[in-house]
Amino acid sequence: MILAAACEQQTGGGNGNGNGDSAFQLNTDYFDVPQDGGTISMTYQFVNRPENDGDFFITSSDWITFTGDDLATSTLSFDIEANPSRERTDTVVIRYDYSTGFLLDTAFVHQDGQNTDVFIDAKSCTGEYYSVGGSYYTWISTAGLWIMDSEGINVNFFSSEEPVTEEFQENGNTYRRLVTLPAGTYTYDPMGTEEPGTFCAPSFYGIYSGNYSYTPRYEITDGTVIITDLGNNEIQIEAEVTCNDGRSYGVFFSGSIEDYIYING
């Protein structure tokens, strides 16, 4: 994606950092950004900058947004989005176009991420809510519940909040289902006290293999699940857990839950 300050782009014979008597160069070409994101500033210098004759055009990934050029301090500013998944690096191409050519330089932006042994970019969140005990039996996975080769984690968590539900019809009967999950931070409780803000067994990592079985299946022994309310009945789930195979698992989901059934029992 190209993000740029507005100007009329013109062609020319220049290339690279220099063109004839003019040259452009960043003072630093590598930037390290935390997982939470933030802003970065790239200072630059010109040799014989073409005056009143051009502007910057920036090529980068969607998670890097060009926010402007401060002429007084020779600084390009960028906003970096938070990173919900693995660490990432992108090359930012900075091109200064003017009437007789262009000047060019590049920078690398590295962002920390969730560096677990296994990372799951989940596309589905579904499950069952049990009114007795307030148990949310939740399957966060790549493909959904009872779908072959669907990979994810099952989290059995507890909240003191009453679930938000809606009614639906199926085969002439009226049922209830959840439309969202309660936001909060949930930590693994090996004692299974079922206290609000905890999750416990049966919570596991698995790949669905048919006949209500998962192969492999590893029980969760520690970890944290964070659910964030995004509004409009959409949520974000970030999980980092450890299983009894000794490996760490990271999960990210963003969107609406589906077919999350309310069960009186």
Side-chain angles (χ1 to χ4, degrees):
M1 182 176 68
I2 297 178
L3 308 170
C7 75
E8 181 180 358
Q9 186 172 1
Q10 303 183 49
T11 59
N15 60 71
N17 292 75
N19 179 22
D21 293 331
S22 297
F24 165 73
Q25 184 174 2
L26 294 170
N27 293 323
T28 304
D29 61 4
Y30 183 87
F31 297 84
D32 221 343
V33 183
Q35 185 175 1
D36 291 342
T39 61
I40 58 174
S41 298
M42 299 183 184
T43 60
Y44 60 84
Q45 53 185 307
F46 277 97
V47 174
N48 298 324
R49 176 173 182 166
E51 296 294 336
N52 302 318
D53 197 16
D55 217 331
F56 286 104
F57 283 78
I58 313 296
T59 305
S60 66
S61 295
D62 289 342
W63 51 276
I64 302 173
T65 302
F66 176 52
T67 56
D69 171 29
D70 187 336
L71 294 174
T73 61
S74 298
T75 301
L76 301 172
S77 299
F78 298 82
D79 284 339
I80 312 298
E81 293 182 0
N83 182 13
S85 60
R86 285 194 177 276
E87 64 178 328
R88 56 191 178 184
T89 301
D90 184 55
T91 302
V92 179
V93 179
I94 301 168
R95 173 172 165 155
Y96 185 82
D97 279 19
Y98 57 103
S99 60
T100 59
F102 65 86
L103 305 174
L104 187 72
D105 204 356
T106 59
F108 296 95
V109 178
H110 169 267
Q111 187 175 24
D112 293 336
Q114 193 166 194
N115 295 318
T116 52
D117 296 320
V118 177
F119 180 78
I120 302 166
D121 186 10
K123 304 302 182 184
S124 173
C125 178
T126 185
E128 298 174 335
Y129 172 79
Y130 294 88
S131 60
V132 175
S135 172
Y136 294 79
Y137 193 77
T138 307
W139 175 240
I140 313 157
S141 65
T142 55
L145 189 63
W146 314 137
I147 303 298
M148 286 295 295
D149 299 322
S150 180
E151 179 185 23
I153 64 170
N154 187 87
V155 180
N156 184 37
F157 73 90
F158 302 87
S159 172
S160 59
E161 295 185 26
E162 286 296 316
V164 180
T165 65
E166 65 181 5
E167 292 186 346
F168 69 100
Q169 302 290 322
E170 185 171 320
N171 298 324
N173 297 314
T174 301
Y175 300 95
R176 295 168 67 189
R177 61 189 170 200
L178 275 62
V179 297
T180 189
L181 296 178
T185 298
Y186 301 86
T187 56
Y188 182 75
D189 177 13
M191 303 303 294
T193 61
E194 302 184 2
E195 289 292 323
T198 68
F199 66 99
C200 64
S203 294
F204 60 88
Y205 160 85
I207 299 177
Y208 186 66
S209 55
N211 297 320
Y212 305 104
S213 297
Y214 298 83
T215 306
R217 170 174 169 155
Y218 302 116
E219 305 303 316
I220 293 175
T221 58
D222 196 9
T224 301
V225 177
I226 300 173
I227 302 177
T228 304
D229 183 0
L230 302 179
N232 297 318
N233 292 330
E234 292 193 343
I235 59 172
Q236 178 175 290
I237 301 177
E238 299 169 273
E240 188 167 333
V241 301
T242 303
C243 292
N244 61 359
D245 63 341
R247 296 198 297 174
S248 59
Y249 294 80
V251 178
F252 177 81
F253 170 81
S254 182
S256 300
I257 65 175
E258 56 188 2
D259 300 324
Y260 204 115
I261 305 302
Y262 182 101
I263 297 176
N264 282 311

